[in-house]
Amino acid sequence: IPKRDASMSLAYIVIAFFAFGIGAIAGLLQGLVRGGMIELPDWMNYYQILTAHGVLMALVFTTFFIIGFMISGISKTTGGLSTFSFRAGWIGWALMFFGTAMVVATILLNDASVLYTFYAPLKASPWFYIGAALLIVGTWVAALGMFSAYRRWRKNNPGKMSPLFAFMSIATLVLWMIATLGVAAEVLFQLIPWSFGWVAEVNVLLSRMLFWYFGHPLVYFWLMPAYIAWYVCIPKIIGGKLFSDSLARLAFILLVLFSIPVGFHHQLMEPGISEKWKFIHVILTLAVVVPSLLTAFSMFAVFETAGRRRGAKGLFGWFTKLPWKDVRFFAPMVGMLMFIPAGIGGIINASNQMNAVVHNTIWVVGHFHLTVATSVVLTFFGISYWLVPALTGRKLTKWVNRLGIIQTLIWSVGMLFMSGAMHFMGLLGVPRRTDYTTYMDSEMALGWIPYYQQMAIGGALLFVGGMLMIGIFIYLLCFAPKGQEEYPIAEMEQNAEQTPRILERWRIWLTVAAVLILLAYGYPIFDILQNPAPGSPPLRTW
Ligand code: HAS
């Protein structure tokens, strides 16, 4: 990767880990407060640190890491960024940075304790929303630079399929651009005018609907870069090859198509949406599971073929041939394994009747700590072990590799404790997003306390794992010995079939995506505007 592109990618990743460090402290604090183990000083409150934790981890850490990672891979696979792409990358970084600073400042001032989902009726300072908007616009500008790099490559290589890494990044960005239109509309037309006092009321149901139009694809925006590493980087790390270029591209196209028109599965218990539309969103949710099943199939195939190439025998002999002592493989692999129960949990959530049991309980928090905070985050850690030294011109040393394996184990055991307790407590009916309370010493709530303690043990382990990761990151950034670390990009199998060209005809896929979105959201939004729920403002003021 050209040095200037590497520095830019690194600038994103540094901010990501900075946010991660502060987010981890906020996470520990909110866990201890909720469990009744500490009390906060008067100038701080539970919802404030919960918001800081959610925003810094789920929105800032992920977004900066993802953009930085994709910039590096696009530069690597398309032959370096043009001046336009490079400039767009830096302008995007600056906008995202200032947006984040505004968001964090308003949270610290206790002017924005609106949680990471920030939809109405919770209201923040307008500067929080303006900061969030800047963060998003920054990603758009950076995305324009990446789109341009991709186009340039295709123009210079007519008739060829684009490099898989670049294709997958573009699919992720396409999904992101379509999804963020929803939250941008919510912020611009509802939340900013309302928080400035220009309008007295907002349509709360519409605000939630626009948020979840964005909120579900947001989780795939986190997942897809992890999948990029699974499909493109892991095979190379384990000495294997890409299993199927076509399957990988198909999985990404399906994610683009099906991950947007599904937002009502977050609103299944909401009275303002009719069950017919919820039913359509549930069906589409089950469709969006398919690309993840394709991914599971593909990963098993990669592991088996790589293992057999190394002489593995029998049905499961390949398992022992995998490089378990290499943290670049180990961390994402644990993430993959955890994605099996995490995905099952998602399917439970999506099933209407079972959603009635788990919705708004701490089960949901357990679900997303397994998905994003384990499968995705362990993969991001796994990427960092090679990406940071590759970008800084350093080496991942043997002892840091070993430390990385310990880090992965601490994180995973912490998560098993914490997320396990959360799933179980959810089934007992423990609500999510509540400050410490014993519900006036109700017997049932007092019975939850031992599980809170299990959660706290898990949380403490996660904090230790998080700080260890920060330490390793700083070492790889500044102190590791100089050298060359490989940027792993897998090659195709030798006699692989040609990928059908239709998989790269974006016009077709964008049209299908638009049709599905119109089908799933067109009428419900029209209906809400025509017949606002009691208490909502009429159409002209939203
Ligand atoms: Fe979810 C709520 C449904 C996936 C994140 N989800 C959330 C929230 C977050 C989140 C943050 O339908 C909370 C939002 C809030 O604050 O309110 N989710 C699903 C479904 C899936 C799913 C159906 N979620 C994710 C992913 C996330 C994420 C991924 C983050 C990255 N989720 C829901 C629903 C709710 C929800 C409802 C609302 C709940 C409520 O009531 O509020 C699916 O995409 C899951 C499909 C996944 C699989 C697993 C495939 C397994 C693979 C690994 C294979 C392993 C290998 C290793 C190869 C089917 C690919 C083998 C190796 C060896 C060595 C053996």
Side-chain angles (χ1 to χ4, degrees):
I1 303 178
K3 218 170 176 172
R4 62 171 202 170
D5 300 357
S7 311
M8 182 165 68
S9 159
L10 210 52
Y12 278 92
I13 289 169
V14 166
I15 304 292
F17 274 100
F18 190 68
F20 175 81
I22 315 229
I25 297 172
L28 180 71
L29 278 180
Q30 66 81 28
L32 293 174
V33 175
R34 188 188 159 124
M37 280 156 247
I38 58 165
E39 271 184 44
L40 288 172
D42 286 346
W43 47 273
M44 238 190 206
N45 73 69
Y46 169 75
Y47 292 99
Q48 188 182 7
I49 41 175
L50 182 59
T51 307
H53 174 59
V55 167
L56 285 169
M57 290 299 208
L59 304 179
V60 180
F61 164 62
T62 50
T63 310
F64 271 92
F65 188 90
I66 290 167
I67 301 280
F69 173 49
M70 293 197 304
I71 285 180
S72 75
I74 288 188
S75 164
K76 166 93 186 157
T77 55
T78 64
L81 299 182
S82 67
T83 309
F84 171 79
S85 302
F86 180 71
R87 283 196 187 140
W90 273 116
I91 297 173
W93 182 91
L95 288 169
M96 286 169 66
F97 181 78
F98 285 115
T100 302
M102 282 166 80
V103 163
V104 172
T106 49
I107 297 174
L108 288 179
L109 292 170
N110 200 14
D111 269 343
S113 299
V114 287
L115 309 175
Y116 86 105
T117 42
F118 64 80
Y119 43 63
L122 294 180
K123 194 200 266 180
S125 144
W127 303 107
F128 171 84
Y129 302 119
I130 292 173
L134 277 182
L135 177 61
I136 291 174
V137 172
T139 61
W140 288 349
V141 176
L144 281 185
M146 289 187 262
F147 286 136
S148 148
Y150 171 75
R151 273 183 67 143
R152 191 179 61 144
W153 189 94
R154 290 190 73 189
K155 223 169 111 192
N156 294 339
N157 296 273
K160 285 198 197 152
M161 290 305 268
S162 63
L164 187 57
F165 191 117
F167 173 87
M168 290 177 145
S169 304
I170 295 305
T172 309
L173 290 170
V174 164
L175 171 98
W176 178 247
M177 301 291 265
I178 305 176
T180 43
L181 291 178
V183 73
E186 183 202 6
V187 165
L188 285 183
F189 299 121
Q190 291 195 290
L191 301 178
I192 291 181
W194 180 54
S195 58
F196 269 120
W198 300 335
V199 294
E201 300 160 315
V202 276
N203 186 327
V204 172
L205 185 56
L206 181 63
S207 154
R208 292 169 61 92
M209 204 182 266
L210 289 173
F211 182 85
W212 286 122
Y213 166 93
F214 155 77
H216 195 76
L218 167 69
V219 315
Y220 293 103
F221 174 68
W222 301 330
L223 181 69
M224 286 160 80
Y227 276 5
I228 298 180
W230 295 6
Y231 276 107
V232 182
C233 307
I234 296 283
K236 177 78 179 184
I237 290 171
I238 65 171
K241 301 235 162 141
L242 260 179
F243 168 66
S244 161
D245 182 87
S246 320
L247 181 144
R249 286 178 206 251
L250 176 68
F252 268 57
I253 296 279
L254 292 179
L255 283 168
V256 171
L257 297 186
F258 290 125
S259 65
I260 299 166
V262 295
F264 290 177
H265 71 223
H266 292 266
Q267 300 180 281
L268 291 175
M269 295 302 120
E270 215 145 309
I273 303 168
S274 99
E275 69 275 18
K276 290 184 228 60
W277 293 104
K278 289 178 184 166
F279 178 72
I280 291 179
H281 281 234
V282 164
I283 299 286
L284 290 169
T285 304
L286 296 176
V288 80
V289 170
V290 173
S292 287
L293 295 176
L294 292 179
T295 305
F297 174 78
S298 175
M299 294 319 297
F300 274 108
V302 167
F303 296 149
E304 187 182 340
T305 39
R308 290 201 189 282
R309 209 170 271 147
R310 290 184 182 188
K313 301 241 157 49
L315 202 52
F316 295 111
W318 51 269
F319 189 83
T320 55
K321 298 280 177 193
L322 295 171
W324 293 103
K325 290 188 183 147
D326 184 342
V327 69
R328 299 171 309 156
F329 164 74
F330 185 70
M333 164 54 91
V334 177
M336 274 179 222
L337 282 175
M338 300 275 236
F339 199 44
I340 299 174
I344 295 173
I347 297 169
I348 291 173
N349 296 345
S351 314
N352 186 57
Q353 291 86 335
M354 285 193 269
N355 188 266
V357 178
V358 299
H359 182 64
N360 269 349
T361 70
I362 202 164
W363 161 288
V364 175
V365 186
H367 165 67
F368 69 68
H369 276 88
L370 266 194
T371 47
V372 62
T374 311
S375 306
V376 169
V377 165
L378 278 181
T379 306
F380 288 1
F381 289 169
I383 294 170
S384 305
Y385 288 115
W386 55 261
L387 180 62
V388 177
L391 295 176
T392 50
R394 297 178 186 274
K395 284 288 292 171
L396 169 66
T397 47
K398 265 200 182 135
W399 70 269
V400 175
N401 181 66
R402 225 170 286 151
L403 209 56
I405 292 191
I406 297 173
Q407 194 279 335
T408 308
L409 289 173
I410 297 178
W411 189 268
S412 318
V413 174
M415 203 54 94
L416 280 178
F417 267 97
M418 196 181 83
S419 173
M422 286 171 165
H423 276 91
F424 188 72
M425 289 162 85
L427 296 179
L428 299 178
V430 180
R432 66 185 284 199
R433 293 176 157 170
T434 46
D435 200 348
Y436 173 70
T437 171
T438 55
Y439 297 89
M440 293 188 281
D441 287 343
S442 96
E443 209 178 303
M444 187 199 253
L446 290 175
W448 297 337
I449 288 178
Y451 303 107
Y452 276 119
Q453 284 160 352
Q454 187 183 329
M455 240 168 78
I457 296 173
L461 279 174
L462 283 168
F463 182 73
V464 173
M467 290 304 125
L468 187 54
M469 186 65 220
I470 297 276
I472 294 175
F473 172 73
I474 295 175
Y475 176 80
L476 291 175
L477 186 72
C478 309
F479 303 109
K482 293 270 175 203
Q484 243 199 337
E485 190 66 43
E486 178 193 29
Y487 197 118
I489 299 280
E491 289 159 17
M492 299 251 258
E493 287 283 359
Q494 244 163 15
N495 44 9
E497 269 182 41
Q498 262 217 311
T499 307
R501 300 208 53 80
I502 190 165
L503 288 173
E504 202 148 16
R505 300 244 159 83
W506 284 107
R507 248 179 234 152
I508 301 180
W509 305 120
L510 288 176
T511 313
V512 179
V515 170
L516 282 172
I517 291 169
L518 270 180
L519 169 80
Y521 273 105
Y523 183 78
I525 289 188
F526 170 78
D527 187 36
I528 290 189
L529 293 175
Q530 287 298 309
N531 309 299
S536 292
L539 176 57
R540 74 199 130 76
T541 57
W542 281 38

